[in-house]
Amino acid sequence: MKILITGATGFIGRTLCTRLLCDGHDLTLLLRRPTSLPGDWSLPCQTLIWDPTQNDCPHALDAFDAVVHLMGESVADSAWTPERKERIRQSRGLATRRLAKALAQRQKPVSCFLSASAIGYYPYDEKPYEQASGFAEDSPAGSHFLAEVCKEWEAAAHEAPAERHIVLRVGVVLGPNGGAMKRLRPLFAAGVGGRLADGQQIMSWIHRDDLVEIIGTALKNKSWEGTYNAVSPHPVSNREFTSTLARVLHRPAVFPVPAVVLKAALGEMSQILLNSQKVLPKRLQEQGFVFRFPRLDAALEDAAALHRLETHQFLAQPLPEVFNFFCDPRNLERITPATLNFKIESISSPSINVGTTITYRLKLHGVPFRWKTLIKEWEPGRYFIDTQEKGPYAVWHHTHRFHAVTGGTLMTDDVKYQVPLGWLGESAGLRIVRNEVRKIFQYRRQVIGQIFPHKVGLRPS
């Protein structure tokens, strides 16, 4: 399908784009401004520039089979001043109405219009233990600010001419390097995290990977229609959430934040932190959807236990050619910065396979050391995983994945790492290590683009 995506460069959108490209879809990103595109974006997508909070759409949208609408200003970045509340409203209700108006100019409706909403649609419950049954999709809406925003948002989404309308009421999204973890992990890693107020309020959450899977499944499955609660089947109290996160990070959680402090600092916005919303994915379960992360402990292990670097790069060459290049360890010297003095000392087998070990020597800030990696998993043409057996990190786990997509190969790197010396290493060296890892992969991206010429990037329209 040809899919138009709003909010594509955000925490959820970037992962979704990778998933949809691997499914064979042709993507166009709707950007509010040209500078919205990250500098490291190299996925093979087209772009349209339009800010729907400012004016009507200047583009014809006839070419698209489906629309995924994720655009919306974050509700949790700062206190809700009157000006900020108006921006939140406009980025959802007004923007969606104008998008629907633009789609109404088409000759025929799109096959599917999928829009995000939020569990803020439901009432708050100040007595969580009396909210035993939880909210299903047919539960009534609340009357607070976010509920009003969500009702307007969803009503506007249904104005879009479409054969199928799908609305996802999304809970707190967990995942590495973004969402709730972007703010919570640094606090808890430093040992200064704790519950909010008495910690009894119920949190309804979902892992980013499950949310992306829900969207991908909904687009291709024509039996999916209507409203779905995009949340895990196992909501938790704030007390359980904070204790689980602390346990995953091996840190204490002994600094509770009193309700009066949150109310003083955040004003009306403190409601979303202090009140309960026990929301359940009734319709997803009726559809037979299987969550990869149904439980909080596994979700936080993936989202927060280790530091993560995720990169994606499109190369306009066939998958076998790209895979063969990266499974040859000798090519690592070509794509590693010269400042590291990277040299291979030994390879345990004539060809790479499960169990192969590779020993390197290199220098970091002038200090020489050896690094021994093990090929832990190996599936030719799809992926391989190397892990550190001996080296500068407490943990290093690097998954290389390769996907055949239209026009070439989409390569993804998912690096999980942990600095040595526990909390002392985190406090003293994390920023340095994070910057070094980022620089290494920035260099790799640049050199790989030179080795594989004629890289296809964005095709502005």
Side-chain angles (χ1 to χ4, degrees), residues 4 30 48 50 52 55-64 67 94-110 113 156 159-161:
L4 178 69
L30 180 60
L48 292 176
W50 171 45
N55 49 44
D56 287 338
C57 183
H59 308 288
L61 304 181
D62 300 282
F64 305 109
V67 176
L94 176 62
T96 306
R97 286 197 303 274
R98 283 180 170 158
L99 178 57
K101 180 180 177 181
L103 291 170
Q105 308 305 311
R106 292 165 48 103
Q107 294 292 322
K108 62 178 184 178
V110 292
F113 187 92
E159 294 177 11

Side-chain angles (χ1 to χ4, degrees), residues 83-151:
E83 295 79 10
R84 180 155 159 68
K85 289 173 73 172
E86 184 59 25
R87 289 200 304 271
I88 290 171
R89 281 187 180 277
Q90 290 189 359
S91 71
R92 288 166 172 78
L94 176 62
T96 306
R97 286 197 303 274
R98 283 180 170 158
L99 178 57
K101 180 180 177 181
L103 291 170
Q105 308 305 311
R106 292 165 48 103
Q107 294 292 322
K108 62 178 184 178
V110 292
S111 63
C112 181
F113 187 92
L114 186 153
S115 178
S117 181
I119 61 171
Y121 174 93
Y122 299 107
Y124 294 135
D125 193 335
E126 296 182 0
K127 299 178 180 179
Y129 294 116
E130 295 181 10
Q131 191 182 335
S133 58
F135 296 122
E137 288 83 357
D138 57 357
S139 298
S143 58
H144 50 83
F145 168 67
L146 281 187
E148 295 299 324
V149 169
C150 289
K151 285 186 286 187

Side-chain angles (χ1 to χ4, degrees), residues 36 103 130 161 311 367-368 370 402 411 424 427 445 450 459:
S36 299
L103 291 170
E130 295 181 10
T311 70
V367 180
R370 282 181 171 80
F402 304 84
M411 179 183 67
L424 182 60
S427 302
R445 173 183 295 275
Q450 296 169 353
R459 305 187 299 276

